[in-house]
Amino acid sequence: MSHTSSPSSLTRLMRLGALLLYLLLIGYGSLYPFSGWRAPLNGSLAFLSAPWPHHITRTDLITNILAYLPLGYLLAAWLRLYLSRWRTVLWAILATSLFSLLMEWSQTFLPGRIAATQDIAANVTGAMVGVMLYRLLQESKWPGRLLPRWRGRWLAPGLWSNFGLLVLALWGLSQLSLDVPSLVAGNLKTHFVPFWEIPGSDGYRFHLLHALIFGFEEGLASLLIAGLMRHPPRKLSGWAAIFGFVLVCKLLAAALLLKGWVLPRLLSAEMVSGMALAALLIIWARREPAGLHAQFLALLLTLAGALQFLLHSNAMRAFSGGSGAVPLNITALAAWVALAWPALVLILLWLRPRPLARSVP
C-alpha cells in the first residue's frame, strides 16, 4: 500500500521547485558576499565547541527561526509524497539540521561571517516548527481538516483566490522590513516622533510621503482581504474588523523586532495620518474592494514606494548593504517584498476573473 494518495506530476514538480528555490535563497543569504574565502585559523569545526555568547539578540534569534520555518514546511511537503508521516517528520528535521550545519561550516571560510552553534539551534527550531505546522495542517486530522471548511465558508473559491492568499502572505513578510511602510522603520531609521511629543519637538518635519505610503498600504491590504472574501462586508463594522486586523498584524510584526515599551512610540503623526487616510480610502472603495478603485490605489502605492526608494539614500544603503551589492536576509528580503508587493496586488487585481454576463433570452 502506498503511503500517500497519488499526487499529480505537477504537484510533485511544484513542491520540488519551491523547495529548491528556497534552498537557493537560504544559501545565498548565508554565504553572501561570496568573496574573500580563506581557511579558518582554528579549523573549520572549531565553532562547534565554542561557548555560546552571554547575550543573544532577539532579532537574530527570530530571524534564524523565521528563515528556516518555511524550509521545514516545504521539505516536509515534498518528503510526504514519498514517505510515511513520521518518517517525513524525522527526515525533514534531520535534513534541515544537516543543511544548517553545512551553512554554518561554510561561513567559517568567509571573513565577516560568524559561525555559531546557537544559530544552528535556532535554525533547527524554526525547521521543526515548519515541519509540525505542515503536519497539523493535513486534511486527514484536526485542525487541518477545519481549514478547507473555513476557506469554503469565508473565502472566494478558485485558483485566483489561492494566489491572492499567497500575495497576502507576502504582505505579512513585508512587515519585517526596516523601511516604511513597516512600523519598525519609524523607530530604527526614520526616527518618527510620537504624535503626543510633537508640540515640544524643535525642528520637527512632517514626512508627507511616508504618511501617504502608510495610508495607501493599510487601505490596500484591507481591500485585498475583503476582495478575497466570498461575501465582502457591507456594514462599516465589518470593514472596521478587517482594518483592525491589518493594524494588529503590523503591530505584531513590530513586536517581533522591538521591545514592548517601544511599541506605543510607533504611533507617529505619519502613522496616525496614514490610518485616517486608509479609513477614507476604504470608505471610498468599499463597494467593490477588488475593482478599479483598488487597482488605482495599488498603482499609487507602487509609484509612492518607488519614489521613496529613489529619494532616500538610507533605503538605498539598506538594500545594498552599503556596498552596492544586494544581500539577502530576512529583513532585506522583506524590504524587496514591500517594494514589489503593491505591483503584485495590481497584477492580481487585473487578472481577477470577471463574472460571466447572463445571456438575454
Side-chain angles (χ1 to χ4, degrees), residues 180-181 192 206-221 250 268-281 296-305 307-308 341-342:
V180 175
F192 288 159
F206 181 77
H207 298 80
L208 177 60
L209 180 59
H210 291 161
L212 292 175
I213 291 176
F214 277 128
F216 293 162
E217 188 245 10
E218 293 167 20
L220 184 59
K250 294 178 73 69
S268 62
E270 290 81 359
M271 178 58 187
V272 174
S273 300
M275 291 170 58
L277 175 60
L280 294 176
L281 291 171
F296 180 67
L297 182 56
L299 178 60
L300 288 179
L301 181 55
T302 301
L303 296 176
L307 182 62
Q308 173 194 259
W341 181 76

Side-chain angles (χ1 to χ4, degrees), residues 65 69 72-73 124-134:
I65 291 176
L69 190 154
Y73 186 95
V124 173
T125 300
M128 291 176 63
V129 172
V131 172
M132 295 306 166
L133 183 62
Y134 174 80

Side-chain angles (χ1 to χ4, degrees), residues 1 43 67 115 165 182 216 250 260 293 335:
M1 179 181 297
L165 291 174
S182 166
F216 293 162
K250 294 178 73 69
H293 293 87

